[in-house]
Coordinates of all heavy atoms in Angstrom, one line a residue:
M24 N 0.8 -1.2 0.0 CA 0.0 0.0 0.0 C 0.9 1.2 0.0 O 2.0 1.2 0.5 CB -0.9 0.0 1.2 CG -2.2 0.7 1.0 SD -2.9 1.3 2.5 CE -3.5 -0.2 3.3
D25 N 0.3 2.3 -0.6 CA 1.0 3.6 -0.5 C 1.2 4.1 0.9 O 0.4 3.7 1.8 CB 0.2 4.6 -1.4 CG 0.3 4.3 -2.8 OD1 1.2 3.6 -3.3 OD2 -0.6 4.8 -3.6
N26 N 2.1 5.0 1.0 CA 2.2 5.6 2.3 C 1.0 6.4 2.7 O 0.5 7.3 2.0 CB 3.4 6.6 2.3 CG 4.6 6.2 3.1 OD1 4.6 5.0 3.6 ND2 5.5 7.0 3.4
P27 N 0.4 6.1 3.8 CA -0.9 6.8 4.2 C -0.6 8.2 4.6 O 0.5 8.5 5.2 CB -1.4 6.0 5.4 CG -0.2 5.3 5.9 CD 0.7 5.0 4.8
V28 N -1.4 9.1 4.2 CA -1.2 10.5 4.5 C -2.3 11.0 5.5 O -3.5 10.8 5.2 CB -1.4 11.4 3.2 CG1 -1.1 12.9 3.6 CG2 -0.4 10.9 2.2
P29 N -1.9 11.5 6.6 CA -2.9 11.9 7.6 C -3.4 13.3 7.3 O -2.7 14.1 6.8 CB -2.1 12.0 8.9 CG -0.7 12.3 8.4 CD -0.5 11.7 7.1
K30 N -4.7 13.5 7.6 CA -5.3 14.8 7.4 C -5.4 15.5 8.8 O -5.2 16.6 8.9 CB -6.8 14.6 6.9 CG -7.3 15.7 6.1 CD -8.5 15.3 5.3 CE -9.7 15.2 6.3 NZ -11.0 14.8 5.5
K31 N -5.7 14.7 9.8 CA -5.9 15.2 11.1 C -5.5 14.1 12.1 O -5.9 13.0 12.0 CB -7.4 15.6 11.3 CG -7.6 16.6 12.4 CD -9.1 17.0 12.4 CE -9.5 17.4 13.8 NZ -10.9 17.2 14.1
A32 N -4.8 14.5 13.1 CA -4.4 13.5 14.1 C -4.4 14.2 15.5 O -3.7 15.2 15.7 CB -3.0 12.9 13.9
D33 N -5.2 13.6 16.4 CA -5.3 14.3 17.7 C -5.9 13.3 18.7 O -6.5 12.3 18.4 CB -6.3 15.5 17.6 CG -5.9 16.6 18.6 OD1 -5.0 16.3 19.5 OD2 -6.4 17.7 18.4
L34 N -5.7 13.7 20.0 CA -6.3 12.9 21.1 C -7.8 13.2 21.1 O -8.3 14.3 21.0 CB -5.8 13.4 22.4 CG -4.3 13.0 22.7 CD1 -3.8 13.8 23.9 CD2 -4.2 11.6 23.0
V35 N -8.6 12.1 21.2 CA -10.1 12.2 21.4 C -10.3 12.4 22.9 O -11.1 13.2 23.4 CB -10.8 11.0 20.9 CG1 -12.3 11.1 21.2 CG2 -10.6 10.8 19.4
S36 N -9.6 11.6 23.6 CA -9.6 11.6 25.1 C -8.2 11.1 25.5 O -7.4 10.6 24.6 CB -10.7 10.7 25.6 OG -10.2 9.3 25.6
P37 N -7.9 11.1 26.8 CA -6.6 10.6 27.2 C -6.4 9.1 26.9 O -5.3 8.6 26.9 CB -6.5 10.8 28.7 CG -7.5 12.0 28.9 CD -8.6 11.8 27.9
F38 N -7.5 8.4 26.6 CA -7.5 7.0 26.4 C -7.5 6.6 24.9 O -7.3 5.5 24.5 CB -8.7 6.3 27.0 CG -8.6 6.4 28.5 CD1 -9.4 7.3 29.2 CD2 -7.9 5.5 29.3 CE1 -9.3 7.4 30.6 CE2 -7.8 5.5 30.6 CZ -8.5 6.5 31.3
L39 N -7.8 7.6 24.0 CA -8.0 7.3 22.6 C -7.4 8.3 21.7 O -7.6 9.5 21.9 CB -9.5 7.2 22.4 CG -9.9 6.6 21.1 CD1 -9.6 5.1 21.1 CD2 -11.4 6.7 20.9
F40 N -6.6 7.8 20.7 CA -6.0 8.7 19.7 C -6.7 8.5 18.4 O -7.0 7.3 18.0 CB -4.5 8.4 19.6 CG -3.8 9.5 18.8 CD1 -3.4 10.7 19.5 CD2 -3.5 9.4 17.5 CE1 -2.8 11.7 18.8 CE2 -2.8 10.4 16.8 CZ -2.5 11.6 17.5
R41 N -7.0 9.5 17.7 CA -7.8 9.4 16.4 C -7.1 10.1 15.3 O -6.5 11.2 15.4 CB -9.2 10.1 16.6 CG -10.1 10.1 15.4 CD -11.3 10.9 15.7 NE -12.1 11.2 14.6 CZ -13.1 10.5 14.2 NH1 -13.6 9.6 14.9 NH2 -13.8 10.9 13.0
I42 N -7.0 9.3 14.2 CA -6.4 9.9 13.0 C -7.4 9.8 11.8 O -8.0 8.8 11.6 CB -5.1 9.1 12.6 CG1 -4.1 9.1 13.8 CG2 -4.4 9.7 11.4 CD1 -3.0 8.1 13.6
E43 N -7.6 10.9 11.2 CA -8.3 10.9 9.9 C -7.3 11.0 8.8 O -6.4 11.8 8.7 CB -9.2 12.2 9.9 CG -10.4 12.1 10.8 CD -11.2 13.4 10.9 OE1 -11.2 14.1 9.9 OE2 -11.7 13.7 11.9
W44 N -7.5 10.1 7.8 CA -6.6 9.9 6.7 C -7.1 10.6 5.5 O -8.4 10.7 5.3 CB -6.3 8.5 6.4 CG -5.8 7.7 7.6 CD1 -6.5 7.0 8.5 CD2 -4.4 7.7 8.1 NE1 -5.7 6.4 9.4 CE2 -4.4 6.9 9.2 CE3 -3.2 8.2 7.6 CZ2 -3.2 6.6 9.9 CZ3 -2.1 8.0 8.3 CH2 -2.1 7.1 9.5
K45 N -6.2 11.0 4.6 CA -6.6 11.7 3.4 C -7.6 10.8 2.5 O -8.4 11.3 1.8 CB -5.4 12.0 2.5 CG -4.8 13.4 2.9 CD -4.7 14.3 1.7 CE -4.4 15.8 2.2 NZ -3.0 16.0 2.4
D46 N -7.4 9.5 2.6 CA -8.2 8.6 1.8 C -9.6 8.4 2.4 O -10.4 7.6 1.9 CB -7.5 7.3 1.6 CG -7.3 6.5 2.9 OD1 -7.8 6.9 4.0 OD2 -6.6 5.4 2.9
G47 N -9.9 9.0 3.5 CA -11.2 8.9 4.1 C -11.3 8.0 5.3 O -12.3 8.0 6.0
D48 N -10.3 7.1 5.5 CA -10.3 6.2 6.6 C -10.1 6.9 7.9 O -9.5 8.0 7.9 CB -9.2 5.2 6.5 CG -9.5 4.1 5.5 OD1 -10.6 4.1 4.9 OD2 -8.6 3.2 5.3
V49 N -10.6 6.3 9.0 CA -10.4 6.9 10.3 C -9.8 5.8 11.2 O -10.3 4.7 11.2 CB -11.7 7.4 10.9 CG1 -11.5 7.9 12.3 CG2 -12.3 8.5 10.1
S50 N -8.8 6.1 11.9 CA -8.2 5.2 12.8 C -8.4 5.7 14.2 O -8.1 6.8 14.5 CB -6.7 5.0 12.6 OG -6.4 4.6 11.3
E51 N -8.9 4.8 15.1 CA -8.9 5.2 16.5 C -8.1 4.1 17.3 O -8.4 2.9 17.2 CB -10.4 5.2 17.0 CG -11.1 6.4 16.4 CD -12.5 6.6 17.0 OE1 -13.0 5.7 17.6 OE2 -12.9 7.8 17.0
I52 N -7.2 4.6 18.0 CA -6.2 3.6 18.7 C -6.2 3.9 20.1 O -6.0 5.1 20.5 CB -4.8 3.7 18.1 CG1 -4.9 3.7 16.5 CG2 -3.9 2.6 18.6 CD1 -3.6 4.2 15.9
K53 N -6.4 2.9 20.9 CA -6.4 3.1 22.4 C -5.0 3.4 22.9 O -4.0 2.9 22.4 CB -6.9 1.8 23.1 CG -8.4 1.6 22.8 CD -8.8 0.4 23.6 CE -10.3 0.0 23.3 NZ -10.4 -1.4 22.8
A54 N -4.9 4.2 23.9 CA -3.7 4.6 24.5 C -2.8 3.4 24.9 O -1.6 3.3 24.6 CB -3.9 5.4 25.8
R55 N -3.5 2.4 25.5 CA -2.7 1.2 25.9 C -2.2 0.4 24.7 O -1.1 -0.2 24.7 CB -3.6 0.3 26.8 CG -2.8 -0.8 27.5 CD -3.5 -1.4 28.6 NE -2.7 -2.4 29.3 CZ -2.6 -3.6 29.0 NH1 -3.2 -4.1 27.9 NH2 -1.8 -4.5 29.7
D56 N -3.1 0.3 23.7 CA -2.6 -0.5 22.5 C -1.4 0.2 21.8 O -0.5 -0.5 21.4 CB -3.8 -0.6 21.5 CG -4.9 -1.5 22.0 OD1 -4.6 -2.3 22.9 OD2 -6.0 -1.4 21.4
L57 N -1.4 1.5 21.8 CA -0.3 2.3 21.3 C 1.0 2.0 22.1 O 2.0 1.7 21.6 CB -0.6 3.8 21.4 CG -1.2 4.5 20.2 CD1 -1.5 5.9 20.5 CD2 -0.3 4.4 18.9
R58 N 0.8 2.0 23.4 CA 1.9 1.8 24.3 C 2.5 0.4 24.1 O 3.7 0.2 24.0 CB 1.5 1.9 25.8 CG 2.6 1.7 26.8 CD 3.6 2.8 26.7 NE 4.7 2.5 27.6 CZ 5.8 1.7 27.3 NH1 5.8 1.1 26.1 NH2 6.7 1.4 28.1
L59 N 1.6 -0.6 23.9 CA 2.0 -2.0 23.7 C 2.7 -2.2 22.4 O 3.5 -3.1 22.2 CB 0.9 -3.0 23.8 CG 0.2 -3.1 25.2 CD1 -1.0 -4.0 25.2 CD2 1.3 -3.6 26.3
S60 N 2.4 -1.3 21.4 CA 3.0 -1.4 20.1 C 4.2 -0.5 19.9 O 4.7 -0.3 18.8 CB 2.0 -1.0 19.0 OG 0.8 -1.7 19.3
C61 N 4.7 0.1 21.0 CA 5.8 1.0 20.9 C 7.0 0.3 20.2 O 7.4 -0.7 20.7 CB 6.2 1.5 22.3 SG 7.6 2.7 22.2
P62 N 7.6 0.9 19.2 CA 8.6 0.3 18.4 C 10.0 0.8 18.9 O 11.0 0.5 18.2 CB 8.4 0.8 17.0 CG 7.8 2.2 17.2 CD 7.1 2.2 18.5
C63 N 10.1 1.5 20.0 CA 11.5 2.0 20.4 C 12.4 0.9 20.8 O 12.0 -0.2 21.1 CB 11.3 3.1 21.4 SG 11.3 2.5 23.1
A64 N 13.7 1.2 20.9 CA 14.7 0.3 21.3 C 14.6 -0.3 22.7 O 15.1 -1.4 23.0 CB 16.1 0.9 21.1
G65 N 13.8 0.4 23.5 CA 13.6 -0.1 24.9 C 12.4 -1.1 24.9 O 12.3 -1.8 25.9
C66 N 11.6 -1.1 23.9 CA 10.4 -2.0 23.9 C 10.5 -3.1 22.9 O 9.9 -4.2 23.1 CB 9.2 -1.2 23.5 SG 8.7 0.1 24.8
V67 N 11.4 -3.0 21.9 CA 11.6 -4.0 20.9 C 13.1 -4.1 20.6 O 13.8 -3.1 20.4 CB 10.9 -3.7 19.6 CG1 11.1 -4.7 18.5 CG2 9.4 -3.5 19.8
D68 N 13.6 -5.4 20.6 CA 15.0 -5.6 20.3 C 15.3 -5.2 18.9 O 14.6 -5.7 17.9 CB 15.3 -7.1 20.6 CG 16.8 -7.3 20.4 OD1 17.4 -7.2 19.3 OD2 17.5 -7.6 21.4
E69 N 16.2 -4.3 18.7 CA 16.4 -3.7 17.4 C 17.0 -4.8 16.4 O 16.7 -4.7 15.2 CB 17.3 -2.5 17.4 CG 16.6 -1.2 17.8 CD 17.6 -0.1 17.8 OE1 18.6 -0.1 18.6 OE2 17.3 0.9 17.1
G70 N 17.7 -5.7 16.9 CA 18.4 -6.7 16.1 C 17.4 -7.8 15.7 O 17.3 -8.1 14.5
T71 N 16.6 -8.3 16.6 CA 15.8 -9.5 16.4 C 14.3 -9.1 16.2 O 13.5 -9.9 15.7 CB 15.9 -10.4 17.5 OG1 15.3 -9.8 18.7 CG2 17.3 -10.9 17.8
G72 N 13.9 -7.9 16.6 CA 12.5 -7.5 16.5 C 11.7 -8.1 17.6 O 10.5 -8.0 17.6
K73 N 12.4 -8.8 18.5 CA 11.7 -9.5 19.6 C 11.2 -8.4 20.6 O 11.9 -7.5 21.0 CB 12.7 -10.4 20.3 CG 12.1 -11.6 21.0 CD 13.2 -12.5 21.4 CE 12.8 -13.3 22.6 NZ 13.2 -12.8 23.9
P74 N 9.9 -8.6 21.1 CA 9.4 -7.6 22.0 C 10.1 -7.7 23.4 O 10.4 -8.8 23.9 CB 7.9 -8.0 22.2 CG 7.7 -9.1 21.4 CD 8.9 -9.6 20.7
L75 N 10.5 -6.6 23.9 CA 11.1 -6.6 25.2 C 10.2 -6.1 26.3 O 10.4 -6.3 27.5 CB 12.3 -5.6 25.2 CG 13.4 -5.9 24.2 CD1 14.4 -4.8 24.2 CD2 14.1 -7.2 24.5
L76 N 9.1 -5.5 25.9 CA 8.1 -5.0 26.8 C 7.2 -6.1 27.3 O 6.6 -6.8 26.5 CB 7.3 -3.9 26.1 CG 6.1 -3.2 26.9 CD1 6.7 -2.4 28.0 CD2 5.3 -2.4 26.0
D77 N 7.0 -6.1 28.6 CA 6.1 -7.1 29.2 C 4.7 -6.4 29.3 O 4.5 -5.5 30.0 CB 6.6 -7.4 30.6 CG 5.6 -8.3 31.4 OD1 4.6 -8.8 30.8 OD2 5.9 -8.6 32.6
P78 N 3.7 -6.9 28.5 CA 2.4 -6.3 28.5 C 1.8 -6.2 29.9 O 1.0 -5.3 30.1 CB 1.6 -7.2 27.6 CG 2.6 -8.0 26.8 CD 3.8 -8.1 27.7
T79 N 2.1 -7.1 30.7 CA 1.5 -7.1 32.1 C 2.1 -6.0 32.9 O 1.5 -5.6 34.0 CB 1.7 -8.4 32.8 OG1 3.1 -8.6 33.0 CG2 1.1 -9.6 32.1
A80 N 3.2 -5.4 32.5 CA 3.8 -4.3 33.2 C 3.1 -3.0 32.8 O 3.4 -1.9 33.4 CB 5.3 -4.2 32.9
V81 N 2.3 -3.0 31.8 CA 1.6 -1.8 31.3 C 0.2 -1.7 31.9 O -0.6 -2.6 31.7 CB 1.5 -1.7 29.8 CG1 0.8 -0.4 29.4 CG2 2.9 -1.7 29.2
R82 N 0.0 -0.7 32.7 CA -1.3 -0.6 33.5 C -2.5 -0.5 32.5 O -2.4 0.1 31.4 CB -1.3 0.7 34.3 CG -0.3 0.6 35.5 CD -0.2 2.0 36.2 NE -1.6 2.4 36.6 CZ -1.9 2.5 37.9 NH1 -1.0 2.4 38.9 NH2 -3.1 2.9 38.3
E83 N -3.6 -1.0 32.9 CA -4.8 -1.0 32.1 C -5.3 0.5 32.0 O -5.9 0.8 31.0 CB -6.0 -1.8 32.8 CG -5.7 -3.3 32.8 CD -5.8 -3.9 31.4 OE1 -6.4 -3.3 30.5 OE2 -5.2 -5.0 31.2
D84 N -5.0 1.3 32.9 CA -5.6 2.7 32.9 C -4.5 3.7 32.4 O -4.6 4.9 32.7 CB -6.1 3.1 34.3 CG -5.0 3.0 35.4 OD1 -3.9 2.6 35.1 OD2 -5.3 3.4 36.5
I85 N -3.5 3.2 31.7 CA -2.5 4.1 31.2 C -3.2 5.1 30.2 O -4.1 4.7 29.5 CB -1.4 3.3 30.5 CG1 -0.2 4.2 30.1 CG2 -1.9 2.6 29.2 CD1 1.1 3.5 29.7
I86 N -2.7 6.3 30.3 CA -3.3 7.3 29.4 C -2.2 8.0 28.6 O -1.0 8.0 28.9 CB -4.1 8.4 30.1 CG1 -3.2 9.1 31.2 CG2 -5.3 7.8 30.8 CD1 -3.9 10.4 31.8
L87 N -2.7 8.7 27.5 CA -1.8 9.6 26.7 C -1.8 11.0 27.3 O -2.8 11.6 27.5 CB -2.3 9.6 25.3 CG -2.0 8.4 24.4 CD1 -2.8 8.4 23.2 CD2 -0.5 8.4 24.0
L88 N -0.6 11.5 27.4 CA -0.5 12.9 27.9 C -0.3 13.8 26.7 O -0.6 15.0 26.8 CB 0.7 13.0 28.8 CG 0.7 12.2 30.1 CD1 1.9 12.4 30.9 CD2 -0.6 12.4 30.9
G89 N 0.2 13.3 25.6 CA 0.4 14.2 24.4 C 1.0 13.5 23.3 O 1.3 12.3 23.3
S90 N 1.0 14.2 22.1 CA 1.6 13.6 20.9 C 2.4 14.7 20.2 O 2.1 15.9 20.4 CB 0.6 13.0 20.0 OG -0.3 14.1 19.5
E91 N 3.3 14.3 19.4 CA 4.1 15.3 18.7 C 4.5 14.8 17.4 O 4.8 13.6 17.2 CB 5.4 15.6 19.5 CG 6.0 16.9 19.2 CD 7.2 17.3 20.2 OE1 7.1 16.9 21.4 OE2 8.2 17.8 19.7
L92 N 4.4 15.7 16.4 CA 4.9 15.3 15.0 C 6.4 15.1 15.0 O 7.1 15.9 15.6 CB 4.5 16.4 14.0 CG 3.1 16.3 13.5 CD1 2.9 17.6 12.7 CD2 2.9 15.1 12.6
V93 N 6.8 14.1 14.3 CA 8.2 13.9 14.1 C 8.5 14.0 12.6 O 8.1 13.2 11.8 CB 8.7 12.4 14.5 CG1 10.2 12.3 14.3 CG2 8.3 12.2 16.0
G94 N 9.0 15.2 12.2 CA 9.1 15.5 10.8 C 7.7 15.4 10.1 O 6.7 15.7 10.7
R95 N 7.7 14.8 8.9 CA 6.4 14.6 8.2 C 6.0 13.2 8.2 O 5.0 12.8 7.6 CB 6.6 15.0 6.8 CG 6.6 16.5 6.6 CD 7.2 16.8 5.2 NE 7.1 18.3 5.0 CZ 6.3 18.9 4.1 NH1 5.5 18.2 3.4 NH2 6.3 20.2 4.0
Y96 N 6.9 12.3 8.8 CA 6.7 10.9 8.6 C 6.1 10.1 9.8 O 5.8 9.0 9.7 CB 8.0 10.3 8.1 CG 9.0 10.2 9.2 CD1 9.2 9.0 9.9 CD2 9.9 11.2 9.5 CE1 10.1 8.9 10.9 CE2 10.9 11.1 10.4 CZ 11.0 10.0 11.1 OH 11.9 9.9 12.1
A97 N 6.1 10.8 11.0 CA 5.7 10.0 12.1 C 5.2 10.9 13.3 O 5.2 12.1 13.2 CB 7.0 9.3 12.6
L98 N 4.7 10.2 14.3 CA 4.3 10.8 15.5 C 5.0 10.1 16.7 O 5.3 9.0 16.7 CB 2.8 10.6 15.8 CG 1.8 11.5 15.1 CD1 0.4 10.9 15.4 CD2 1.9 12.9 15.5
S99 N 5.3 10.9 17.7 CA 5.7 10.3 19.0 C 4.7 10.7 20.0 O 3.9 11.6 19.9 CB 7.1 10.9 19.4 OG 7.0 12.2 19.7
F100 N 4.6 9.8 21.1 CA 3.6 10.0 22.1 C 4.2 10.1 23.5 O 5.3 9.6 23.7 CB 2.6 8.8 22.1 CG 1.9 8.7 20.8 CD1 2.3 7.8 19.8 CD2 0.7 9.4 20.6 CE1 1.6 7.7 18.6 CE2 0.0 9.3 19.4 CZ 0.5 8.5 18.4
V101 N 3.5 10.7 24.4 CA 4.0 10.7 25.8 C 2.8 10.0 26.6 O 1.7 10.4 26.5 CB 4.2 12.1 26.3 CG1 4.7 12.0 27.8 CG2 5.1 12.9 25.5
W102 N 3.2 8.9 27.3 CA 2.2 8.2 28.1 C 2.4 8.6 29.6 O 3.4 9.1 30.0 CB 2.4 6.7 27.9 CG 2.0 6.2 26.6 CD1 0.8 5.7 26.3 CD2 2.8 6.0 25.5 NE1 0.8 5.3 25.0 CE2 2.0 5.4 24.5 CE3 4.2 6.2 25.2 CZ2 2.5 5.1 23.2 CZ3 4.7 5.9 23.9 CH2 3.8 5.3 23.0
S103 N 1.4 8.2 30.3 CA 1.4 8.5 31.8 C 2.4 7.7 32.5 O 2.7 8.0 33.7 CB 0.0 8.3 32.4 OG -0.5 7.0 32.0
D104 N 3.0 6.7 31.9 CA 4.1 6.0 32.6 C 5.4 6.6 32.4 O 6.5 6.1 32.8 CB 4.1 4.5 32.2 CG 4.5 4.3 30.7 OD1 4.5 5.3 30.0 OD2 4.6 3.1 30.3
G105 N 5.4 7.8 31.7 CA 6.7 8.5 31.5 C 7.4 8.1 30.2 O 8.4 8.7 29.8
H106 N 6.8 7.1 29.5 CA 7.5 6.6 28.3 C 7.2 7.6 27.1 O 6.1 8.1 27.0 CB 7.0 5.3 27.9 CG 7.9 4.5 27.0 ND1 9.1 4.0 27.4 CD2 7.7 4.1 25.7 CE1 9.7 3.4 26.4 NE2 8.9 3.4 25.4
K107 N 8.3 7.9 26.3 CA 8.0 8.8 25.2 C 9.1 8.7 24.1 O 9.2 9.5 23.3 CB 8.1 10.3 25.7 CG 9.3 10.6 26.5 CD 9.3 12.1 27.0 CE 10.5 12.4 27.8 NZ 10.4 13.7 28.4
T108 N 9.7 7.5 24.1 CA 10.8 7.4 23.1 C 10.3 6.7 21.8 O 11.1 6.7 20.8 CB 12.0 6.6 23.6 OG1 11.4 5.5 24.4 CG2 12.8 7.4 24.5
G109 N 9.1 6.3 21.8 CA 8.6 5.6 20.6 C 8.3 6.5 19.4 O 7.6 7.5 19.6
I110 N 8.7 6.2 18.2 CA 8.4 6.9 17.0 C 7.5 6.1 16.1 O 8.0 5.0 15.7 CB 9.6 7.4 16.3 CG1 10.3 8.5 17.2 CG2 9.3 8.0 15.0 CD1 11.7 9.0 16.7
F111 N 6.3 6.5 15.9 CA 5.4 5.7 15.1 C 5.2 6.3 13.8 O 4.6 7.4 13.6 CB 4.0 5.7 15.8 CG 3.9 4.9 17.1 CD1 4.6 5.4 18.3 CD2 3.2 3.8 17.2 CE1 4.5 4.7 19.5 CE2 3.1 3.1 18.4 CZ 3.8 3.5 19.5
A112 N 5.7 5.6 12.7 CA 5.5 6.1 11.4 C 4.1 5.9 11.0 O 3.4 5.1 11.5 CB 6.5 5.4 10.4
W113 N 3.6 6.8 10.0 CA 2.2 6.7 9.7 C 1.7 5.3 9.2 O 0.6 4.9 9.6 CB 1.9 7.7 8.5 CG 2.1 9.1 9.0 CD1 3.1 10.0 8.4 CD2 1.5 9.9 10.0 NE1 3.0 11.2 9.1 CE2 2.0 11.2 10.0 CE3 0.4 9.6 10.9 CZ2 1.6 12.2 11.0 CZ3 0.0 10.5 11.8 CH2 0.6 11.8 11.8
P114 N 2.5 4.6 8.4 CA 2.0 3.2 8.0 C 1.7 2.3 9.3 O 0.8 1.5 9.3 CB 3.1 2.7 7.2 CG 3.8 3.9 6.7 CD 3.7 4.9 7.8
R115 N 2.5 2.5 10.3 CA 2.4 1.7 11.5 C 1.1 2.1 12.2 O 0.3 1.2 12.7 CB 3.6 1.9 12.4 CG 3.5 1.1 13.7 CD 4.7 1.4 14.5 NE 4.9 0.3 15.5 CZ 5.6 -0.8 15.3 NH1 6.3 -0.9 14.2 NH2 5.7 -1.7 16.3
L116 N 0.8 3.4 12.3 CA -0.4 3.9 12.9 C -1.6 3.4 12.1 O -2.6 3.0 12.7 CB -0.3 5.4 13.0 CG 0.7 5.9 14.1 CD1 0.9 7.4 13.9 CD2 0.2 5.6 15.5
K117 N -1.5 3.4 10.8 CA -2.7 3.0 10.0 C -2.9 1.6 10.3 O -4.1 1.1 10.4 CB -2.4 3.3 8.6 CG -3.5 3.0 7.6 CD -4.0 4.3 6.9 CE -5.4 4.2 6.4 NZ -5.6 4.0 5.0
A118 N -1.9 0.7 10.3 CA -2.1 -0.7 10.5 C -2.7 -0.9 11.9 O -3.6 -1.8 12.1 CB -0.8 -1.4 10.4
L119 N -2.2 -0.2 12.9 CA -2.8 -0.3 14.3 C -4.3 0.0 14.3 O -5.1 -0.7 15.0 CB -2.0 0.6 15.2 CG -0.7 0.1 15.8 CD1 0.0 1.2 16.5 CD2 -0.9 -1.1 16.7
G120 N -4.6 1.1 13.6 CA -6.0 1.5 13.6 C -6.9 0.4 12.9 O -8.0 0.2 13.4
E121 N -6.4 -0.2 11.9 CA -7.1 -1.2 11.2 C -7.3 -2.5 12.1 O -8.4 -3.1 12.1 CB -6.5 -1.6 9.9 CG -6.9 -0.6 8.8 CD -5.9 -0.5 7.7 OE1 -5.1 -1.4 7.5 OE2 -6.0 0.5 6.9
L122 N -6.3 -2.8 12.9 CA -6.5 -3.9 13.9 C -7.6 -3.6 14.9 O -8.4 -4.4 15.2 CB -5.2 -4.1 14.6 CG -4.0 -4.8 13.9 CD1 -2.8 -4.9 14.8 CD2 -4.5 -6.2 13.5
G123 N -7.5 -2.3 15.3 CA -8.5 -1.9 16.4 C -9.9 -1.9 15.9 O -10.8 -2.1 16.7
S124 N -10.1 -1.6 14.6 CA -11.5 -1.5 14.1 C -12.1 -2.9 14.0 O -13.3 -3.0 13.8 CB -11.5 -0.8 12.8 OG -11.0 -1.6 11.8
G125 N -11.3 -3.9 14.0 CA -11.8 -5.3 13.8 C -12.2 -5.6 12.4 O -12.9 -6.5 12.1
A126 N -11.8 -4.8 11.4 CA -12.2 -4.9 10.0 C -11.4 -6.1 9.4 O -10.3 -6.4 9.9 CB -11.9 -3.7 9.3
Ligands
LIG222 ZN1 9.1 2.1 23.8

C-alpha cells in the first residue's frame, strides 16, 4: 500500500487517539494499544525484532499525555508511565487502527 497521508491527528480523550486519513479512513487507537506497540529500542529488540516490553507491566488505565509530530513521517507519544521514546511512522499507525477496528 502507498504511504498513508494523515489529514488530522489528535487525542479524542486521554485513552484514545484518532487519525483521519486523506483517503477517508479513520483510525482510533487506544492509549494502551499504542503503548504496547511502541517500536522504540527499549520496547523491541532492534536486532531481532523481539518484544522486550512485558504487556502485564503496562497498566490498564495508562493514558496519553500528548503527541508530537516527528518531521512529516511519524508521531511520537507521551504516556502517563513516562514513556516517550517511541516513534510511530504513519503506516504503522494506520495498521494499528485497522487492527483496532476489527475490520
Ligand atoms: Zn518504547
Side-chain angles (χ1 to χ4, degrees):
M24 210 207 286
D25 291 340
N26 247 12
V28 181
K30 204 165 75 179
K31 199 177 156 208
D33 212 348
L34 289 167
V35 177
S36 79
F38 294 98
L39 195 66
F40 195 81
R41 179 184 165 101
I42 303 167
E43 289 173 28
W44 304 96
K45 274 236 167 81
D46 65 7
D48 280 1
V49 175
S50 301
E51 290 192 336
I52 312 166
K53 291 186 188 122
R55 190 168 185 273
D56 290 343
L57 269 175
R58 179 66 187 86
L59 293 176
S60 311
C61 178
C63 86
C66 296
V67 177
D68 187 292
E69 281 183 300
T71 63
K73 206 171 152 265
L75 301 173
L76 177 68
D77 174 7
T79 61
V81 178
R82 294 172 57 116
E83 292 291 338
D84 60 356
I85 191 168
I86 59 169
L87 281 163
L88 301 180
S90 65
E91 200 171 328
L92 276 172
V93 181
R95 283 163 178 252
Y96 71 94
L98 277 177
S99 68
F100 298 95
V101 183
W102 288 272
S103 53
D104 64 353
H106 201 68
K107 57 181 177 187
T108 42
I110 292 174
F111 291 70
W113 296 118
R115 184 180 195 92
L116 288 165
K117 186 115 201 255
L119 278 171
E121 277 157 15
L122 284 177
S124 71

